[in-house]
Amino acid sequence: MIKIKNLALWFCGICIGIFVIQQIIPGFTELFMLTPDALMLPWQFLSAVFLHGGIAHLFFNLFALFLFGFMLERMIGSKKFGWLFIVSGIFANIISFIIYPNHNALGASGAIMAVIGVVAVLRPMMTVWAFNLPMPMFIAAILWAGAGFLGIFGFGDQSVGYVAHLSGIFIGVLYGFYLRLRYSKKSEIVQKQKIIIDEGSMRNWEDYNLK
């Protein structure tokens, strides 16, 4: 059986490759993004995860995917990480479609927020820069989720997929607690790990995704 490692990097590469195709082939984005016709075109629930609406959208999603995805993949393994990314991305798109059936959507944000949710549960006290302050990972995740919740009620940039963000972080937190319950505290999954996250990069990511 072939084992693929470094899936976070593979997913980043796939997103970049598909973004190039989006620029070359007319109508490609419209065919594979999440649309009101998704029930008739069911592949859109998955394909939309790997599409992006612009270079900034792509860059900041890749930043978060590489940072938190690479970290989480080291903790739980490539297989679990891969399934989490795909399933949570589909789940976030399904919820978005149910709540906003007449809207278009694209991007990996739902899957990335699921990754962040798992990291917040497995490494709750890891220090990250969020909202211009150093804070524990679990606090940052709560605040990011809170920003998404406010976005649903009209605060912030309404072009951002807040429903997908919340759906992703919800399934991520659930899966994180499942892993903590299944594996002992001595497991590598829940061991403490010193990780340094660049403040400036985190501020830029927040400015784009939580604007």
Side-chain angles (χ1 to χ4, degrees):
M1 183 177 179
I2 299 176
K3 293 184 178 180
I4 301 177
K5 297 183 179 180
N6 300 316
L7 277 178
L9 294 177
W10 276 100
F11 287 144
C12 288
I14 291 170
C15 288
I16 293 171
I18 289 179
F19 183 73
V20 172
I21 295 174
Q22 287 180 252
Q23 312 312 305
I24 296 173
I25 302 178
F28 182 89
T29 300
E30 291 72 17
L31 179 60
F32 290 100
M33 70 190 300
L34 188 67
T35 68
D37 298 321
L39 292 180
M40 301 297 295
L41 307 170
W43 62 80
Q44 292 182 349
F45 290 105
L46 173 60
S47 60
V49 174
F50 298 98
L51 300 174
H52 289 84
I55 191 68
H57 188 201
L58 174 68
F59 175 80
F60 287 109
N61 270 358
L62 291 184
F63 165 74
L65 175 56
F66 177 79
L67 175 66
F68 293 108
F70 183 73
M71 186 189 310
L72 182 61
E73 187 174 356
R74 289 178 60 193
M75 290 188 231
I76 68 176
S78 296
K79 183 177 180 180
K80 290 186 180 69
F81 170 77
W83 278 111
L84 170 71
F85 188 85
I86 296 298
V87 171
S88 60
I90 294 173
F91 176 79
N93 280 335
I94 289 174
I95 299 301
S96 294
F97 180 80
I98 291 173
I99 295 179
Y100 300 116
N102 297 317
H103 287 192
N104 296 327
L106 74 173
S109 299
I112 292 168
M113 292 302 287
V115 170
I116 288 174
V118 178
V119 173
V121 174
L122 299 184
R123 296 284 192 274
M125 300 308 297
M126 178 181 72
T127 301
V128 297
W129 282 93
F131 301 96
N132 299 324
L133 293 170
M135 63 182 67
M137 181 68 190
F138 83 97
I139 296 294
I142 291 173
L143 293 177
W144 287 329
F149 185 78
L150 290 175
I152 292 177
F153 291 96
F155 295 91
D157 185 350
Q158 292 305 293
S159 67
V160 175
Y162 297 112
V163 170
H165 290 191
L166 288 176
S167 301
I169 204 165
F170 172 76
I171 197 171
V173 167
L174 286 183
Y175 187 58
F177 278 113
Y178 164 77
L179 291 174
R180 286 195 72 97
L181 290 173
R182 180 171 180 180
Y183 297 96
S184 68
K185 292 183 178 180
K186 294 182 179 180
S187 169
E188 184 179 350
I189 287 181
V190 295
Q191 286 179 358
K192 292 182 179 180
Q193 183 176 359
K194 185 178 180 180
I195 300 171
I196 299 174
I197 298 178
D198 178 64
E199 174 187 357
S201 299
M202 285 301 300
R203 287 180 177 177
N204 290 336
W205 178 79
E206 283 185 333
D207 289 342
Y208 185 83
N209 285 277
L210 303 177
K211 58 188 175 180

